[in-house]
Amino acid sequence: MALQNYGTDSFVLSINSRVITDFGETASPFQDAPINPASQLRQGLGGGAVRLDRIKPGRTVQLYLNPGSADSAYLQSLFTARTEVTLSYQQVGTLESAVGTEGVVTNDAANNRAGSTISDDQYTLEFNGWNAMKGGA
């Protein structure tokens, strides 16, 4: 079995058809996580239970970009204009991929400037629709 490459050189990220490449120094410049649980279990006092499935649990994405980059300016423009966004990514060679739809850039983050170190530009995106494939080749 060959080693899987999860580095940025084999990670293709597209937001509204623009390929994003200028990632920051954060150890994991792209992170995604569920907004809500896909299923919930409601237990009654009598011992029975009910399952509640959510059709679209949603997904939140944290994106860290190099400060001063054109990619960061692009994300800031989507945030400022309150543009609806779509996202897709593929980790080339591992068969991991995802598509996020009905999304918005919900926030940017604190900036650290004018010191011995500076922070990445951080953006939070949330998606109502998320279709992902994990597992690798």
Side-chain angles (χ1 to χ4, degrees):
M1 173 186 253
L3 291 175
Q4 305 296 336
N5 184 352
Y6 286 91
T8 56
D9 58 337
S10 63
F11 183 74
V12 181
L13 173 64
S14 176
I15 298 176
N16 283 12
S17 300
R18 179 188 175 111
V19 176
I20 305 297
T21 58
D22 207 349
F23 298 106
E25 290 185 337
T26 302
S28 297
F30 177 91
Q31 304 163 15
D32 68 87
I35 295 174
N36 296 296
S39 297
Q40 291 180 308
L41 185 67
R42 181 184 180 274
Q43 293 180 293
L45 296 175
V50 176
R51 177 184 177 135
L52 303 166
D53 290 334
R54 186 179 297 269
I55 294 171
K56 292 183 175 182
R59 205 78 173 167
T60 185
V61 168
Q62 299 296 325
L63 184 59
Y64 298 84
L65 299 174
N66 203 26
S69 68
D71 285 342
S72 182
Y74 176 70
L75 261 291
Q76 185 66 46
S77 73
L78 295 176
F79 174 59
T80 302
R82 300 181 182 216
T83 304
E84 184 173 327
V85 296
T86 59
L87 174 150
S88 67
Y89 82 76
Q90 181 178 20
Q91 192 73 51
V92 177
T94 68
L95 298 181
E96 281 194 1
S97 62
V99 174
T101 57
E102 302 173 59
V104 294
V105 182
T106 59
N107 226 334
D108 57 4
N111 293 319
N112 300 317
R113 301 291 191 262
S116 59
T117 63
I118 61 172
S119 63
D120 290 338
D121 288 346
Q122 178 184 346
Y123 298 93
T124 302
L125 298 85
E126 292 185 353
F127 297 89
N128 188 41
W130 189 264
N131 186 2
M133 180 193 301
K134 295 182 185 179

